[in-house]
Amino acid sequence: MTAPTPVRLLVCDDHAVVRAGLLALLGSADDIEVVGAAGSGEEAVALAAKLRPQVVLMDLQLGDGIDGVEATRRIAGRPGAPYVLVLTTYDTDADINRAIAAGATGYLLKAERPEELFTAIHAAAEGRTTLSPPVASRVMAQLRTPAPQLTDREQEILAQLAQGLGNREIARALFISEATVKTHLGRIYDKLGVDTRSGAVAAAKERRLLR
């Protein structure tokens, strides 16, 4: 019986020790062939185009330069692109949402066992999604909880807030009174479940409410 063709894999992680550990681990799998390793997002994008792997194993935090999300977006956006499997220590809603929106096929945490990583790589090579259990739980929780509905005016004020403008500046920009701005801010805080300006911006970014 002919052995299956190994999955061609590109690894991207900016920590040399972690990258070496991954290469050693993956090198022990007969059905996975590591064709390259990148230490930055830019290098991963270039190597993905040059080496044409089936799967890119992508860290999210990559130090200087573009992060894993932007690298994923650039890789996944090309014709005939490889699948991108995120491997990270971060499991916040914002990180998960950004990675998936960028085109990641799967999202795995570094705490997973090696066998789970191998399985996820093969699933990604077939275009199937694999999520670590904590990540899957977060995704399901988001689906069960509808995003708050903001009015057009609240959206406008939130956008100004994200730019760091104060109440007076927002009032001038939108041709409304400061009192009206304060009223809308109170409603925005209530809908987002926060009580500060920075909290409102952070919550809006996490829930992808900023246009």
Side-chain angles (χ1 to χ4, degrees):
M1 183 176 178
T2 304
T5 303
V7 173
R8 291 171 53 81
L9 181 74
L10 171 66
V11 174
C12 179
D13 196 297
D14 66 323
H15 291 97
V17 173
V18 175
R19 193 165 63 248
L22 282 171
L23 295 179
L25 173 65
L26 295 164
S28 69
D30 294 333
D31 51 2
I32 295 174
E33 178 190 359
V34 178
V35 297
S40 69
E42 289 85 353
E43 188 178 9
V45 173
L47 288 179
K50 178 181 178 181
L51 302 176
R52 302 188 66 81
Q54 293 167 269
V55 178
V56 178
L57 194 61
M58 179 69 69
D59 192 13
L60 288 186
Q61 303 298 325
L62 297 174
D64 297 333
I66 63 174
D67 64 6
V69 170
E70 180 57 30
T72 296
R73 181 176 293 107
R74 296 185 187 184
I75 292 171
R78 291 177 173 174
Y83 294 105
V84 178
L85 174 61
V86 169
L87 180 65
T88 182
T89 57
Y90 301 91
D91 65 346
T92 67
D93 290 350
D95 286 320
I96 295 167
N97 290 340
R98 290 177 63 234
I100 293 175
T105 298
Y107 197 108
L108 216 62
L109 299 179
K110 289 182 177 178
E112 294 292 347
R113 295 175 302 168
E115 295 79 9
E116 299 296 331
L117 174 59
F118 297 157
T119 299
I121 289 171
H122 283 280
E126 297 174 2
R128 293 186 285 115
T129 298
T130 299
L131 303 175
S132 286
V135 175
S137 296
R138 283 184 172 276
V139 171
M140 291 302 295
Q142 290 183 58
L143 292 175
R144 294 190 187 103
T145 306
Q149 298 298 312
L150 301 180
T151 65
D152 288 342
R153 179 60 83 186
E154 289 166 354
Q155 288 276 7
E156 291 174 340
I157 290 177
L158 191 58
Q160 300 288 327
L161 206 64
Q163 296 177 28
L165 301 184
N167 288 2
R168 181 174 297 178
E169 295 169 308
I170 294 175
R172 288 175 177 172
L174 300 180
F175 303 102
I176 56 179
S177 69
E178 285 188 61
T180 300
V181 173
K182 290 180 181 178
T183 298
H184 283 301
L185 282 177
R187 292 172 181 164
I188 291 171
Y189 291 171
D190 287 341
K191 289 181 178 181
L192 298 181
V194 299
D195 53 14
T196 64
R197 302 167 76 87
S198 60
V201 173
K205 287 180 178 178
E206 183 168 305
R207 302 182 192 189
R208 299 168 65 192
L209 294 174
L210 287 170
R211 294 174 179 172

